Amino acid sequence: MVVGIFRALGAVAMMMALAGCIDHANEPVLLAIGVPVNPAAVANSICVTDGNAMYDEARKQYELRAQLTGYAQADDLEAETIARAAAHRQYVACISGQGYRPLYAN
């Protein structure tokens, strides 16, 4: 019983130590508008996941459109540009729904 508690505490300590290794350099600063639904870290995590899913879906849709129109090979640069734009739109829409406005450092 006591060994299980120490193992659980050790696992939690390891997760906290590893969480400090995540690179947050390119994340936007989230400005709360009104009363946010979730804390900023949780909202960012949720919306990044949504953006990643949209990126994958946009790439698939581009490939399907290329096949339907008869292009033998899709343009990778155009596919990447379209997928990144779709992911960014999804992220901004999601983070706005969470009650934040993203501010990017440029």
Side-chain angles (χ1 to χ4, degrees):
M1 177 75 167
V2 175
V3 174
I5 292 172
F6 284 121
R7 283 185 182 170
L9 288 175
V12 169
M14 179 68 78
M15 287 189 299
M16 291 180 68
L18 290 175
C21 298
I22 298 172
D23 179 24
H24 297 284
N26 294 324
E27 288 184 6
V29 175
L30 298 178
L31 178 64
I33 305 294
V35 179
V37 177
N38 289 311
V42 174
N44 187 55
S45 175
I46 291 169
C47 294
V48 165
T49 303
D50 281 355
N52 288 341
M54 181 57 74
Y55 176 89
D56 294 338
E57 185 62 29
R59 289 291 294 222
K60 286 182 201 172
Q61 292 297 321
Y62 184 85
E63 296 294 329
L64 288 173
R65 280 193 303 273
Q67 289 176 359
L68 289 173
T69 56
Y71 288 119
Q73 219 174 18
D75 183 11
D76 281 338
L77 179 61
E78 185 178 11
E80 179 71 17
T81 303
I82 289 171
R84 285 178 144 235
H88 181 72
R89 286 190 305 269
Q90 179 65 33
Y91 176 80
V92 171
C94 176
I95 208 73
S96 296
Q98 292 286 329
Y100 292 97
R101 179 175 178 237
L103 300 175
Y104 296 95
N106 284 334

